[in-house]
Amino acid sequence: MSSIRQAKHQRIPAFLRSWGGVFGAGWLIFMFLASITARWWRPYDVAEQDLIARLQGPSSEYWLGTDAVGRDLFSRVFTAGALPLQASAVMVLVAFGIGLPLILIAAERGGRVEEAIGRFAETIMSLPSTVILLAAIGAIGNRIYPVMMIFGLLVSAALYRILIGVAKSSRQHLYIDAARVDGMGSIRVNLAHVLPSMARPIAVQAAIVYAIGLLIINGLAFLGFGPGEPQPSWGFMIKDASDNIFNSPWMMVPPGVALSLTVMAANALADALAGPLGIPEYTPPKRRRTISASPAQQSEGTDNLALSVRDLSVVVEGGPTLVSGISFDLRQGEVMGLVGESGCGKTMTARSLLGLLPAGVEVSSGSIIWQGRQIAGLPERDAIKIRGREIAMISQEPMVALDPLFSVKSQLTRPLRRFRGVGRREARRIALELLRQVGIVDAERVLRCYPHQLSGGMAQRVAIALALTGSPKLLIADEPTTALDVTVQAEILSLLRALVAETGMSVLLVSHDLGVVADICDRIAVMYSGQVVEAGTVAEVLEDPYHPYTMALLGANPHVADDAPEPERLAAISGSVPPPGNWPEGCRFADRCQFAASECSVAFEPEPAHVDGMSLCIRTGELRRTGAQWAPEHRGAELAVESEAP
Amino acid sequence: MPLYIAKRLAIGVGTIWAAFTLTFLLVHSTDNSPGAVRLGMGATPEEVEVENERLGWNRPLLTQYADDLGKMVRLDFGQSLINRGDVRDQLSDRLPVTASISVLATLLAGIVGTALGVVAAVRGRGTAKAVNAFSGFSLSIPSFWLGVVLVYFFAIRLDLLPATGYSRFSEGVGSWLQSLALPVITLAIGGAAVVARMAASGMREALAREYITTLRAIGTPEWRIRYIHALRAASLPVVGALGVQFIVLFGGSVIIENLFALPGIGQAALFGATGNDFPILIGVVVMSTAVVVITNLVLDLLTAVLDPKLRTR
């Protein structure tokens, strides 16, 4: 819709803003006008023979040469366009005249009606149309328009198959329901709302079908079922050329090029009308250039630090910064929560640990020290050795995280054989063991299943088992329970807790849910606008938050601890996270903060907080002294914004 | 799975029935009559009338329909009105020629198209644009013209392949393939273009899926991600496209046979259409539809093998 509306605002329609569209529309119009006016301007009559000048190449007398009886090819090629260009248009009209009502009825009625029409369309679609058209010619004679109408009937079935989905989805729009409720009749709803919203796919299909019609008409003419001599047709001229190919190969050029260009024009028009496809371009993981990472700061207590992230920044290549100056540590066997609203850079931070950032996004500076090694910006060749084996990941949507075309068995045993160098049978045994470890009772049955046969919770358990195939020391869990039911959520969380206890691995849990974090994490890092704003142990941070944003998050959290008094109303945080590239100078939360003051608009260093944590708020000390609490009611922010303006 | 096959089979039978009915109606909707066709130009109206009576043309339409339908089920299409030969015998000699051309062309289109599509999907923007331009180009070239061009270069200028004529499979695989090479290549190029676009978008879509990230996160080698997982996903729409392509290429081969002078079913259809030979026309339509239906059933089975959702139903 939006593109159609856009097009209305500009003077040139969208499809004419590409070379293909200009060529397509231009050539079709030119050919049509040239061919219907040919009789008035062509240099020779189509039947005029010059027996002295037979089978000639291009010359000043005959611009495109002559055929076997000395007729002018230039005159004939341009005259020949009129019939196919018109007959194919009639065919397109017939096809849509039959197809569109069926599509609209099927989309409106659904159920039985749709199924019946669908079956019928599928039957018609599987008919070999060329043979049917020959049979039609044999029965009713060589009459081009009626034959093309029969072809239109056959094509309408294909149109049905292609456009029924579009029609059904355009009926889903709310304004169509609204129109129905308003008492608009079925026909008016279809004409006023459904059809216009299908305009673009209809136009695309019309152009494609038109091109097919041109090919069929000329194919039949090639077989001798054209307009009949001496009237020219491209198809029969090509047939003529093939009969004279030894004497005059040139003859095949004019009709072939004319027909090909015309078909190409219709196809180019279809491509231009369709616009770019909405499928993302695939960029293979390339050797990322090694970043100017700061040297590993091994000095601070390497005791049992598994992961140490320092000043990590992630940027869009040539675009805004997504994550800036992130630092945190993770000890072996520890569970750390990375929390914040969506869009604050949690997932980018987590993915950068695996070197699995989306195409065009990269680590620009800082260091990721994993087991004493710098792994930030590792080349793909080295990063791939860490994935699964040392650091693994489970993602948000378990139902789409597994390949639907492969069985659980195949998806588990493949990596097992690669990671552990075991044979088929042993891999199967370990797979069963892993499934049991993640709490699946009937592991044998699940092993034989395909992803679509699993429930969400079951799929997430399988995904966890998959992540465990390489016995990783760190598991990144990106919103592992968000897509699951509450009861299943609790099960998955206790499974993660049990796995940490059993295997001694560390977990980096990405979540927006403070309840989940409070449930299973040892430490927490609160993120806002691509920065860590507060870090510390879960107990300290959640019970005694230093940073106003953490206070606000806790105030907005509907889960209340058992012993806490029930608040009268939940706090709301006004405004929204500023988008990357639009971060204010100084504190990025200041615009939404109840305690913002003039000093918040200049850059500052994090303050130490809790035992070994930090708080990124210049007023930390002051707020602690006054015992400030985030108020459910919104106050003060406007004033702060004013005082902050540079 | 049995339900799925039964459904496809029912649609196949329905298609053959629809093809028969449509042609029957076409044949009976004209003022031409088999008697007139059979006796030729010289016959008097009285003689034609007698002949039509003898052929049962004057019976009620429904009686003829039921009668012809019953015979069709027993693969009896009667005699040709022109050469008086048995239609089934004449066509069953010709069917293998057309079927070989269209099956080989579909296979070639599938292989070449998939390869092009995969390359377009994984090799970056430049290659994708080149493949897309090639597809757009070859989709627009009429096969019967491309055939003439190929004959000119490969048969006449380079003298690599025979320009026309058919060599039976029983006369040797080499000469059989040689005689089919040009027609098959001619037909396959357009099909390959369609398949290439399908495969490219299928691969791109698959590679953007979440499970690809899962595979990456456990260190799956890139070749495995592309050529086992993504290609398998892309193969589903490709096989679907091949079913449609087979119908298109079968129709194309009917035209192409004329150019390469191959004794296929298309030539029979052409003679039947020129001479109003009704039994031949009905026979050609029914038998061609049967070939298309059988091929599509095979492809449906292949889809079921590839897609566990269909298999485990």
Side-chain angles (χ1 to χ4, degrees), chain A residues 51-76:
Chain A
L51 292 175
I52 302 157
R54 292 162 56 226
L55 298 174
Q56 283 188 351
S59 65
S60 60
E61 203 174 343
Y62 299 104
W63 296 340
L64 292 178
T66 59
D67 68 6
V69 288
R71 293 180 296 195
D72 179 41
L73 287 179
F74 179 79
S75 304
R76 289 177 67 77

Side-chain angles (χ1 to χ4, degrees), chain A residues 122-123 126 130-131 134 138-139 225 249 252 256 260 264 267 282 284 387-388 395 400-401 403-404 414 418-419 450 452, chain B residues 8 15 19 30 140 142 144-145 152 210-211 214 216-219 222 224 226 229 251 270 273 276 284 292 308 311-312:
Chain A
E122 199 168 347
T123 307
S126 340
T130 314
V131 180
L134 282 177
F225 303 117
M252 68 182 161
S260 300
M264 218 174 279
N267 281 332
Y282 165 71
R387 291 179 205 144
S395 60
V400 296
D403 190 335
R414 254 313 135 190
R418 179 160 46 84
F419 285 135
Y450 284 87
H452 72 275
Chain B
R8 310 305 308 175
T15 306
T30 63
S140 305
F144 48 92
W145 183 57
Y152 176 69
E210 182 65 25
Y211 62 76
T214 310
R216 290 238 158 81
I218 52 167
E222 186 63 22
R224 217 183 153 76
R226 284 181 189 173
H229 291 275
L270 184 56
N276 308 105
V284 165
V292 167
R311 208 183 327 142
T312 52

Side-chain angles (χ1 to χ4, degrees), chain A residues 115 119 122-132 134-141 143 150 153-154 215-216 218-220 222-225 234-235 238-239 241-242 245-246 249 252-253 255-257 259-261 263-265 267 271 277 279-285 351 354 356 380 384 386-389 391-393 395-397 400-406 410-411 414-415 418-419 450 452-453 463 466-467 469, chain B residues 7-8 11 14-16 18-19 22-23 26-27 29-30 32 120-122 124-125 128 132 136-137 139-145 148-149 151-153 156 197 201-202 204-205 207-211 213-222 224 226 228-230 232-233 236 244 247-248 250-252 254-255 258-259 265-266 269-270 272-274 276-278 281 284-285 288-289 292-293 296 306-309 311-312:
Chain A
E115 199 176 308
R119 280 287 149 74
E122 199 168 347
T123 307
I124 299 289
M125 236 186 100
S126 340
L127 293 173
S129 46
T130 314
V131 180
I132 302 246
L134 282 177
I137 290 170
I140 64 176
R143 293 188 281 166
I150 294 175
L153 167 76
L154 300 177
L215 286 173
I216 287 281
N218 284 288
L220 292 175
F222 177 87
L223 293 177
F225 303 117
W234 292 327
I238 292 171
K239 174 68 181 163
S242 93
I245 193 161
F246 285 95
M252 68 182 161
V253 176
V257 170
L259 173 55
S260 300
L261 277 178
V263 175
M264 218 174 279
N267 281 332
D271 282 349
L277 295 169
I279 304 169
E281 196 73 28
Y282 165 71
T283 354
R351 297 230 164 158
L354 277 170
L356 279 182
E380 180 69 14
I384 204 167
I386 293 172
R387 291 179 205 144
R389 223 178 276 269
I391 306 177
M393 184 174 82
S395 60
Q396 193 169 145
E397 293 270 4
V400 296
L402 300 170
D403 190 335
L405 298 181
F406 289 81
S410 138
Q411 300 197 47
R414 254 313 135 190
R418 179 160 46 84
F419 285 135
Y450 284 87
H452 72 275
Q453 297 166 313
L466 184 59
T469 50
Chain B
K7 249 188 199 169
R8 310 305 308 175
I11 288 179
T15 306
I16 296 176
L22 190 61
T23 326
L26 278 172
V27 164
S29 68
T30 63
N32 209 338
V122 302
R125 209 169 274 269
N132 200 35
F137 191 70
L139 271 177
S140 305
I141 307 277
S143 61
F144 48 92
W145 183 57
V148 181
V149 175
V151 163
Y152 176 69
F153 285 106
I156 297 176
R197 287 189 168 183
S201 65
R204 252 180 240 133
E205 235 165 87
L207 286 167
R209 287 280 160 81
E210 182 65 25
Y211 62 76
T213 311
T214 310
L215 288 166
R216 290 238 158 81
I218 52 167
T220 312
E222 186 63 22
R224 217 183 153 76
R226 284 181 189 173
I228 305 284
H229 291 275
R232 173 87 177 262
L236 282 171
V244 178
I247 302 174
V248 173
F250 193 92
V254 163
I255 296 177
N258 181 41
L259 173 63
I265 208 166
L270 184 56
T274 326
N276 308 105
D277 198 340
F278 298 162
L281 290 176
V284 165
V285 168
S288 313
T289 310
V292 167
V293 161
N296 275 290
L306 289 168
D307 187 355
K309 271 187 201 162
R311 208 183 327 142
T312 52

Side-chain angles (χ1 to χ4, degrees), chain A residues 314-639:
Chain A
V314 176
V315 300
V316 176
E317 252 173 294
T321 303
L322 302 176
V323 167
S324 67
I326 291 257
S327 299
F328 61 86
D329 295 325
L330 189 57
R331 287 174 189 79
Q332 194 63 48
E334 198 174 58
V335 180
M336 170 150 143
L338 209 54
V339 291
E341 288 168 275
S342 37
C344 65
K346 293 171 304 200
T347 297
M348 287 303 158
T349 307
R351 297 230 164 158
S352 65
L353 301 182
L354 277 170
L356 279 182
L357 291 167
V361 177
E362 59 177 23
V363 171
S364 62
S365 66
S367 66
I368 303 171
I369 309 295
W370 165 250
Q371 309 281 359
R373 264 179 309 148
Q374 160 72 281
I375 60 164
L378 270 190
E380 180 69 14
R381 181 165 34 86
D382 298 319
I384 204 167
K385 290 179 193 148
I386 293 172
R387 291 179 205 144
R389 223 178 276 269
E390 299 182 39
I391 306 177
M393 184 174 82
I394 53 173
S395 60
Q396 193 169 145
E397 293 270 4
M399 296 307 279
V400 296
L402 300 170
D403 190 335
L405 298 181
F406 289 81
S407 68
V408 169
K409 181 184 160 195
S410 138
Q411 300 197 47
L412 284 179
T413 53
R414 254 313 135 190
L416 277 173
R417 294 177 62 183
R418 179 160 46 84
F419 285 135
R420 309 194 184 184
V422 294
R424 205 176 291 260
R425 187 174 300 234
E426 177 68 2
R428 197 186 121 85
R429 194 191 60 74
I430 303 174
L432 281 173
E433 202 173 89
L434 282 176
L435 287 180
R436 294 201 183 98
Q437 195 181 358
V438 297
I440 292 175
V441 186
D442 48 352
E444 288 275 0
R445 187 185 66 83
V446 169
L447 203 59
R448 283 194 307 271
C449 279
Y450 284 87
H452 72 275
Q453 297 166 313
L454 303 173
S455 66
M458 198 63 99
Q460 191 60 294
R461 285 174 196 273
V462 171
I464 293 172
L466 184 59
L468 295 178
T469 50
S471 322
K473 297 189 192 72
L474 168 62
L475 179 67
I476 298 170
D478 189 357
E479 307 262 10
T481 58
T482 309
L484 302 173
D485 289 344
V486 183
T487 45
V488 184
Q489 243 182 50
E491 284 171 29
I492 295 289
L493 287 181
S494 67
L495 168 65
L496 284 177
R497 204 183 296 115
L499 285 173
V500 170
E502 270 173 55
T503 62
M505 68 179 178
S506 320
V507 174
L508 181 68
L509 180 87
V510 176
S511 181
H512 64 270
D513 188 338
L514 284 174
V516 168
V517 171
D519 198 1
I520 95 164
C521 294
D522 305 311
R523 297 181 64 81
I524 181 171
V526 181
M527 282 188 74
Y528 185 82
S529 282
Q531 287 176 315
V532 173
V533 293
E534 180 163 5
T537 64
V538 165
E540 288 167 332
V541 171
L542 295 190
E543 261 156 45
D544 184 19
Y546 279 36
H547 195 281
Y549 179 62
T550 317
M551 296 182 199
L553 271 186
L554 282 165
N557 186 14
H559 303 286
V560 181
D562 295 333
D563 48 353
E566 213 160 301
E568 266 169 37
R569 55 180 297 180
L570 290 176
I573 312 176
S574 67
S576 56
V577 183
N582 229 348
W583 290 329
E585 191 75 10
C587 177
R588 292 173 194 168
F589 184 60
D591 279 3
R592 304 170 71 190
C593 183
Q594 292 179 352
F595 312 117
S598 57
E599 65 254 49
C600 298
S601 57
V602 291
F604 51 86
E605 288 295 304
E607 306 270 327
H610 309 298
V611 177
D612 56 352
M614 55 75 90
S615 168
L616 192 65
C617 176
I618 196 164
R619 300 189 64 195
T620 300
E622 200 183 328
L623 293 178
R624 303 285 306 159
R625 272 198 307 282
T626 57
Q629 292 288 317
W630 189 269
E633 293 294 333
H634 178 70
R635 63 181 149 106
E638 273 81 5
L639 266 176

